Amino acid sequence: MRHIPRAIRRLFCLIVSLGVLAGCGVAGLPGDSGRETVGQPTLPALTLPGDDWGYPSPFAFYARGPGYVRMSLLFDTLTWKDAEGLIPWLADDWTTSEDGTVWTFKLHPDVTWHDGNRLTAKDVAFTYTYFKAQRSLVTWSWPLDRIDTAEAVDEETVRITLTEPVAGAHDVLFGSLPILPQHIWEGIDDPLKALGEEVVIGSGPFTLAEYSKEEERYVYMAHPGYFKGGPRVSSLVFIKVENEALALKSGTTDYAAFSGKAIEAAKQFADDPEFEIIEGPGYWVLQLIFNTSRPPFDDVVLRRAVAHAIDRRRIVTQVTLDGAVVAELGVLSPETDWHHPDLPTYDHNPDEARRLLSQATEAAKLLPLTLIATAEYAREAELIQADLAEIGFPITVQVGDTGTLDGLLREGNFDVAINGHGGLANPAILESPTWPAMVYQNEVYRLIYEAQAQLSDDDARRPLVWQLQEMIASDLPVLTLWHPKMWTVYRSAKLDTWFYTPEGVGFGIPLAMNKLSFID
Amino acid sequence: MSYRIAQYLFIIIVLLTLNFFLPRMMPGDPISYLVGDPGADAPLLMTEEMRQNLLRYYELDRPLGEQFQRYLSNLLRGELGWSISQNAPVAQVILGRLRWSLLLGGCAAAIYVPLGIVLGAVAAWHSTTPAGPAILGSVFFLGSWPSYFLGMLFIVFLSLKLGLFPIGGATSTLSARSGVLWSLVDVIHHGALPCATLVLGNLPGIVLLVHNSTMGLLGHDFVRAAKAKGLRQRRVLIKHVLPNAMLPLVTMIAMRLGFLVAGSVTVEVVFAYPGMGALITTAGIARDYPLLQGIFLIIMLLIVGFNLLADLLYTRLDPRVRATL
C-alpha cells in the first residue's frame, strides 16, 4: 500500500468515506414520520404495491386517483359508496331542499378523531367553510365555488347551502370531500405546506404510522375505535416495487392491479389457487384528439373519413391483446349508468373513408400532418399511420415524453394526438372531450353541458348527458380507440373482500381499493 | 491554478444560467402537471382563475428576469425553493434521495475501482500466460450483460428462487427494524444486489483501461531497468508501473464519480431503489423547475468538483502537468 501514490490513496479514501457517510446517514435516521408502529398480531398485515402519491393530508396528496385513495384511508366523508352504490357514512341521514341548494345532514353520533376528540357538526361546517376559503390552492375537482355557507345547527346536525344545485352532489362533493378536525386545521394558513403529523389526523379506519417520500412507502395501522366497524387487517403497507406480478408471486405483496395491455401479467395467476382475480371496468379511454381549432381537422368530413379509415378492432386485438374493448364514441364508459347505448360506430370501411376524404376541404391536402403520441402508445400510432396511408392520407408520427405532449396539447399546438384519460364514470368529464387540449368550441354543446351540470335529478339529467354523447359521436372532436379492462389479483388467504366500486371510489377512481374492504 | 479555478467558476455561472432557462424553454409547465398529466386516471379541468392562482402561489407569474434574480439570491442564501410536483422543500427532496445514491454509487465504486485496478494490472502482467486472457474474458462476460437484465437475473435467482435478498427498496418498514446496527444490516441487505449490479457494470471499463495502460508501459526502459535491478515482479508492478498507469484512470474515475448521482438510473428502476435517477425523470416529466434546478445544481457541482479534484491529483501524479499549470 505504501507504494501507491498518496494522491491515489486519498482518492480511494474519499470514495470509501462517501459510501460510509451515506450509509451511516441512511441507517441512523428514522423515516419521515419517526414514529414506531405497533402491530396487532391477530389480524393479517397487508402489503400492497404503490408509488409516492404525496403526503396523505387532504391538501397535500397528489391530485391523482391513488393519492386520493391514500388520503381516504385516513379521512371520512359525509356519504360513501359500497358495492351497490351510495351509502350513508359520517351522515346517517340527510334532507334536500326542493331546489337542491340546501342540504341538511344528521351526523352519526359518537364519532371520534384519531386523537380522541369528538367529531361534531362544527367540524363539518368548518371543513366546508375552510375548503371554500382555500379553494385557490385545491387541485382536486370538488366544486368548491358552489359552496355558499355551512353552519352547525346543533352538535349532530349541519346545514350546507349551495349557490346553485350541483349535479351528482353526493358523488362530487358530499361523498368525496374529506371532513377535517377544526381543532387542528383552524390554525393553518397555508394547508399545502402543512406536512406535520397532526394534519393526517382524521376519523378514518386507519392512522398513518410511517410515510417515506424517497422510498415511496406508506404504513397505515388499523384504528381500533372506528365507528363503522372493526378492522379486517392490522396494517396496510404500500411499498414501491418495479414489477407488481413478480412482487405478488414472490410473496412480497398481497395484491396487484393490472389493466389493458398488462393482460398477460394478470393471466398468469388464473390457475393458481393461492390467488383470486376480479375483473372491473377501466373508466379510462385512449383517444385520438383532433385539433378542431385549425385546418385541416376543423373539417368534420375529414374527421369522419379518418374514423372510417382506422381499424379500431385491429388495434384492440393486436396492441392490447384483447385486454381492452373498442371504445364508445361518446367517450363515457359503457359500464356506467350514463352511457348512451345507441351511438354511431364508424366501422372500419376504407372505401367510405376514401369517399369522404375526396369530399373533404382542400385543407386536407395540407402536408405534412403530424400525429404525436408518447412512447407508450407508439404502436397504436403506427397502426393508425398505416390505416391512413391506405386511404391516401399520409401522416408522420412523432413520439415525445408526457410533459411535451401535455404542453403541446394545452397550447393547441398540434394536428392530431393520441392521449388517454380516466374519469369516465362521471358525466363531468364531458365538459371538455378533448382534455387536456381545449380546442373544441361548440356553443350548443357548452349550453347543454351547463344545463345538465345543475340538475340534481338523475332522470332529468340523463337525456342531456345522452345528447352530449350524441354530439361527440357525430362531431368527432375525438375518436375514441379503446377502454381498458382492469384486473385485481389478490392473495385470498390474507383478505378476500376486495371489490370494484360502481362508478369508482370517490368519484370515478377505477381502483378496487375501497376502504370498506378493510373493515367488518 | 488560480486560472483553472476561475475557469471552473465561469463554467458554474454559465451552467447555473442554463439550469434556470433551459427547463422553461421546454413545452409544458409545472402547473398543468399538478392537475393531471396525459393518461391521468382522474383528469381535472383547470380554469384560468385556478391557473393564475397557482402561478401566483408558486411565484411563476413574475417576469422571467425577476424569477432568475430571485433564484440566484435564494441560492446565495442556500435556499433551493419548494418542489411543486413533490410538495416539499427541494433540499429535503434531494437530500432524501442523494444519500441513497451516494451510498449505492460510493459503495460500488469502492469495490470496482480497486478491484478493477488489481485485475487490470494482473491481466496485463500475465498477458502472455492463460491467466491474463482468462481474467479479461471473465470480467467482460459478466460485464457485458445490460444492467437491467443482470438486475432482473439477480432478482429472479437470488431473491425469488433462493429468497436471499429483498426484491427491491432500500430498507424495511420502521416496525421491521430497530436499532442502528439492525438498520445498517437492513440497508446492506437491501443494497447488496443493486451494488453488485453496478460493480459488474462498471468493472470492465476500469479493468480494460488499467490493462491497456499497463501494457503500454511494460516495454519501457524504466521497467526493464527495474527488472534488471533484480526487483521482484510485484514490486516492479506496484512501484514502477501502476503509478504511471494511473493518469488516465484518474480522469475516468473522476468522470464516473461526477455521474455518481445520475448514472445508476437503470439499476435504481430495476430494484425500486430510492436514488436520484428516478427523481430526475419525475422532475423532468412534471416540469418541476425548482426541483430540476436543484438536481442539476448538485450534479453540476459534483462533476465540476471531481474534475477539479482530478486536475489537482494530476499535479501530484505527474510533474510535467504541474509545470503547465
Side-chain angles (χ1 to χ4, degrees):
Chain A
M1 190 74 179
R2 67 178 186 279
H3 303 299
I4 298 175
R6 187 184 298 169
I8 295 295
R9 289 206 300 268
R10 282 183 182 166
L11 180 62
F12 179 70
C13 288
L14 178 71
I15 297 166
V16 174
S17 308
L18 271 176
V20 171
L21 275 176
C24 292
V26 295
L29 290 173
D32 291 2
S33 75
R35 280 177 285 169
E36 292 291 335
T37 56
V38 182
Q40 293 175 7
T42 52
L43 295 169
L46 283 190
T47 306
L48 313 172
D51 302 311
D52 175 35
W53 295 102
Y55 194 54
S57 97
F59 285 87
F61 73 88
Y62 300 164
R64 308 287 192 276
Y68 180 88
V69 166
R70 279 153 182 72
M71 184 275 295
S72 75
L73 298 171
L74 304 173
F75 292 86
D76 286 317
T77 50
L78 290 172
T79 64
W80 192 243
K81 281 193 278 190
D82 65 7
E84 308 299 324
L86 180 74
I87 54 170
W89 203 247
L90 281 175
D92 278 343
D93 197 11
W94 57 87
T95 57
T96 317
S97 67
E98 194 118 322
D99 65 355
T101 56
V102 183
W103 294 70
T104 308
F105 293 91
K106 187 77 180 167
L107 300 183
H108 189 87
D110 303 325
V111 180
T112 56
W113 298 105
H114 296 149
D115 61 6
N117 286 309
R118 188 157 168 254
L119 187 156
T120 68
K122 282 183 183 167
D123 291 305
V124 179
F126 166 80
T127 298
Y128 278 76
T129 309
Y130 188 77
F131 265 104
K132 183 189 172 190
Q134 299 287 357
R135 67 182 182 278
S136 65
L137 299 179
V138 176
T139 47
W140 197 248
S141 287
W142 297 301
L144 301 174
D145 55 339
R146 308 274 188 91
I147 298 170
D148 187 10
T149 57
E151 54 183 327
V153 177
D154 59 41
E155 281 283 287
E156 290 170 4
T157 310
V158 63
R159 185 185 301 126
I160 298 166
T161 308
L162 306 176
T163 56
E164 55 190 335
V166 175
H170 292 107
D171 235 11
V172 300
L173 190 60
F174 306 123
S176 67
L177 191 79
I179 303 303
L180 310 172
Q182 181 177 5
H183 62 282
I184 288 172
W185 286 87
E186 63 189 346
I188 296 176
D189 296 328
D190 187 347
L192 216 55
K193 290 181 179 164
L195 301 171
E197 291 181 8
E198 69 284 0
V199 298
V200 288
I201 291 176
S203 61
F206 291 91
T207 57
L208 186 70
E210 184 188 343
Y211 166 68
S212 169
K213 182 177 277 298
E214 67 262 22
E215 290 205 64
E216 308 188 31
R217 182 169 61 216
Y218 299 76
V219 180
Y220 293 89
M221 302 304 294
H223 177 45
Y226 192 52
F227 76 106
K228 279 287 183 183
R232 283 198 173 106
V233 295
S234 62
S235 65
L236 283 181
V237 180
F238 290 89
I239 59 165
K240 171 87 177 162
V241 295
E242 164 58 12
N243 185 321
E244 285 198 25
L246 211 61
L248 181 60
K249 278 249 175 201
S250 69
T252 305
T253 55
D254 304 306
Y255 160 107
F258 305 100
S259 73
K261 297 173 186 176
I263 183 170
E264 292 302 318
K267 274 184 183 170
Q268 65 181 290
F269 295 93
D271 299 322
D272 192 331
E274 195 183 346
F275 304 102
E276 293 284 336
I277 302 180
I278 51 172
E279 186 176 321
Y283 300 136
W284 197 93
V285 67
L286 187 75
Q287 57 190 17
L288 201 60
I289 304 176
F290 299 107
N291 192 342
T292 54
S293 68
R294 72 183 193 193
F297 287 112
D298 57 345
D299 179 4
V300 68
V301 179
L302 178 63
R303 300 199 292 269
R304 287 177 184 154
V306 170
H308 276 299
I310 295 173
D311 188 349
R312 298 187 299 149
R313 161 57 51 199
R314 183 172 67 137
I315 292 175
V316 166
T317 309
Q318 290 189 4
V319 184
T320 75
L321 308 173
D322 287 324
V325 295
V326 175
E328 292 293 314
L329 291 177
V331 176
L332 287 190
S333 165
E335 309 208 41
T336 73
D337 284 347
W338 300 102
H339 167 244
H340 189 316
D342 297 312
L343 294 172
T345 53
Y346 293 91
D347 293 330
H348 177 53
N349 186 341
D351 291 334
E352 177 64 5
R354 280 189 206 96
R355 191 186 68 77
L356 288 170
L357 186 61
S358 68
Q359 293 175 2
T361 166
E362 279 298 302
K365 297 184 180 68
L366 281 176
L367 292 174
L369 294 173
T370 304
L371 167 62
I372 53 172
T374 57
E376 194 177 351
Y377 303 112
R379 182 77 184 116
E380 281 91 343
E382 283 172 12
L383 290 178
I384 288 170
Q385 186 183 33
D387 282 340
L388 295 180
E390 193 186 329
I391 64 159
F393 188 63
I395 55 164
T396 55
V397 171
Q398 239 175 44
V399 174
D401 78 325
T402 50
T404 303
L405 177 64
D406 190 43
L408 293 173
L409 289 174
R410 287 180 198 274
E411 290 163 14
N413 184 16
F414 69 100
D415 296 316
V416 59
I418 295 179
N419 184 52
H421 65 76
L424 301 196
N426 195 302
I429 194 65
L430 296 178
E431 184 173 358
S432 174
T434 54
W435 184 93
M438 308 301 270
V439 289
Y440 181 56
Q441 304 296 334
N442 183 325
E443 191 56 20
V444 177
Y445 183 92
R446 190 183 64 78
L447 291 173
I448 297 174
Y449 179 84
E450 284 177 2
Q452 65 80 38
Q454 294 188 7
L455 294 175
S456 49
D457 178 354
D458 285 356
D459 291 332
R461 188 185 180 197
R462 184 164 288 105
L464 296 184
V465 173
W466 281 24
Q467 217 173 324
L468 292 175
Q469 293 173 74
E470 283 167 12
M471 290 182 77
I472 295 172
S474 165
D475 223 10
L476 287 179
V478 292
L479 176 68
T480 55
L481 299 174
W482 49 258
H483 299 299
K485 299 173 189 171
M486 290 193 83
W487 303 271
T488 290
V489 187
Y490 54 90
R491 202 178 305 281
S492 49
K494 281 280 191 80
L495 188 74
D496 62 356
T497 50
W498 301 97
F499 67 93
Y500 282 100
T501 308
E503 303 191 345
V505 182
F507 58 102
I509 301 167
L511 298 171
M513 194 73 78
N514 189 319
K515 60 188 169 191
L516 287 183
S517 297
F518 309 121
I519 53 178
D520 266 329
Chain B
M1 183 48 67
S2 57
Y3 168 72
R4 183 57 56 93
I5 289 172
Q7 220 176 15
Y8 277 109
L9 279 176
F10 175 72
I11 290 171
I12 287 175
I13 290 167
V14 170
L15 289 178
L16 276 179
T17 311
L18 289 176
N19 275 355
F20 180 85
F21 287 102
L22 276 183
R24 286 168 170 78
M25 291 165 72
M26 295 158 72
D29 67 71
I31 302 302
S32 303
Y33 183 81
L34 279 183
V35 293
D37 51 313
D41 57 0
L44 313 168
L45 294 176
M46 182 163 52
T47 61
E48 191 50 33
E49 183 195 358
M50 189 175 162
R51 184 182 171 75
Q52 291 305 324
N53 286 336
L54 289 168
L55 284 172
R56 198 174 310 121
Y57 180 77
Y58 291 111
E59 298 181 346
L60 294 171
D61 59 335
R62 313 271 173 88
L64 216 54
E66 191 185 326
Q67 286 184 48
F68 185 51
Q69 200 180 351
R70 190 178 291 260
Y71 164 63
L72 290 179
S73 61
N74 284 345
L75 207 57
L76 287 174
R77 286 200 301 272
E79 290 172 16
L80 295 180
W82 189 269
S83 164
I84 300 167
S85 67
Q86 303 283 311
N87 195 39
V90 168
Q92 187 187 317
V93 173
I94 290 179
L95 281 177
R97 299 272 188 157
L98 187 64
R99 53 187 178 150
W100 293 109
S101 282
L102 287 178
L103 173 72
L104 189 61
C107 286
I111 295 170
Y112 69 70
V113 169
L115 190 61
I117 292 172
V118 170
L119 289 176
V122 171
W125 195 258
H126 293 284
S127 60
T128 53
T129 69
I135 290 173
L136 287 182
S138 311
V139 166
F140 285 113
F141 175 73
L142 287 172
S144 60
W145 302 81
S147 296
Y148 192 86
F149 187 68
L150 197 62
M152 288 303 289
L153 278 183
F154 279 152
I155 289 174
V156 169
F157 289 104
L158 299 178
S159 299
L160 296 185
K161 299 276 183 202
L162 300 176
L164 297 175
F165 297 96
I167 65 166
T171 62
S172 307
T173 58
L174 278 177
S175 57
R177 55 193 161 100
S178 54
V180 172
L181 185 64
W182 179 241
S183 294
L184 197 59
V185 171
D186 188 53
V187 167
I188 293 169
H189 192 212
H190 280 79
L193 291 187
C195 184
T197 311
L198 272 184
V199 167
L200 289 175
N202 285 286
L203 195 57
I206 304 276
V207 171
L208 190 66
L209 189 73
V210 174
H211 171 266
N212 292 350
S213 185
T214 308
M215 288 291 285
L217 294 169
L218 286 182
H220 279 228
D221 290 344
F222 72 92
V223 178
R224 274 206 297 276
K227 283 181 182 172
K229 279 195 290 184
L231 295 178
R232 278 186 300 166
Q233 283 194 351
R234 211 180 70 177
R235 193 170 168 79
V236 174
L237 185 64
I238 294 175
K239 191 169 181 194
H240 295 278
V241 179
L242 267 186
N244 287 290
M246 283 300 167
L247 287 177
L249 188 68
V250 167
T251 312
M252 187 188 214
I253 293 172
M255 286 179 71
R256 288 199 181 198
L257 291 181
F259 285 99
L260 205 64
V261 295
S264 326
V265 182
T266 319
V267 174
E268 286 171 15
V269 169
V270 176
F271 292 98
Y273 205 80
M276 291 285 284
L279 187 66
I280 295 168
T281 314
T282 310
I285 290 171
R287 304 290 191 264
D288 189 340
Y289 304 145
L291 187 56
L292 281 169
Q293 286 158 196
I295 292 170
F296 290 146
L297 177 73
I298 298 293
I299 294 175
M300 176 191 77
L301 290 178
L302 277 172
I303 291 175
V304 172
F306 278 110
N307 275 295
L308 181 62
L309 188 68
D311 275 349
L312 294 173
L313 279 175
Y314 259 59
T315 61
R316 296 294 184 92
L317 290 170
D318 190 345
R320 291 168 298 178
V321 177
R322 200 179 312 161
T324 63
L325 289 175

